[in-house]
């Protein structure tokens, strides 16, 4: 969940390289609501995260285009990776 409107993204890296999901816009109607990315698992046409072999060393959560004069809270409850 995000406490204010912003853009949210997730990335995975190994040796400094890796995929990043396209940022999702969280508007004022969706603040403090759960953000899910299960569409990545259910869409057959979307590329899966299998192009970089080996173990990943980082999972990155990015928040951009938020109001720096307001408190920003990112709450992460669960992360599932296959």
């Amino acid at each position: 969940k995000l406490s204010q409107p912003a853009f949210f993204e997730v990335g995975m890296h190994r040796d400094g390289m890796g995929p990043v999901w396209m940022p999702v816009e969280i508007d004022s109607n969706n603040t403090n609501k759960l953000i899910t990315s299960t569409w990545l698992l259910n869409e057959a046409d979307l590329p899966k995260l299998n192009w970089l072999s080996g173990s990943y060393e980082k999972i990155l959560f990015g928040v951009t285009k938020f109001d720096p004069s307001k408190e920003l809270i990112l709450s992460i409850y669960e992360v599932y990776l296959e």
Side-chain angles (χ1 to χ4, degrees), residues 14-71:
R14 178 176 162 267
D15 297 328
M17 301 185 327
V20 176
W21 284 276
M22 181 176 233
V24 174
E25 183 175 4
I26 308 303
D27 62 21
S28 59
N29 294 323
N30 291 309
T31 57
N32 293 309
K33 293 183 180 177
L34 291 179
I35 303 165
T36 62
S37 62
T38 55
W39 57 269
L40 289 171
L41 300 175
N42 297 327
E43 290 291 329
D45 295 339
L46 292 175
K48 303 299 182 213
L49 301 177
N50 60 5
W51 63 272
L52 192 60
S53 63
S55 298
Y56 288 95
E57 63 191 22
K58 291 184 210 176
I59 297 177
L60 308 167
F61 297 95
V63 180
T64 58
K65 300 184 181 178
F66 59 92
D67 184 347
S69 66
K70 297 179 183 176
E71 182 178 47

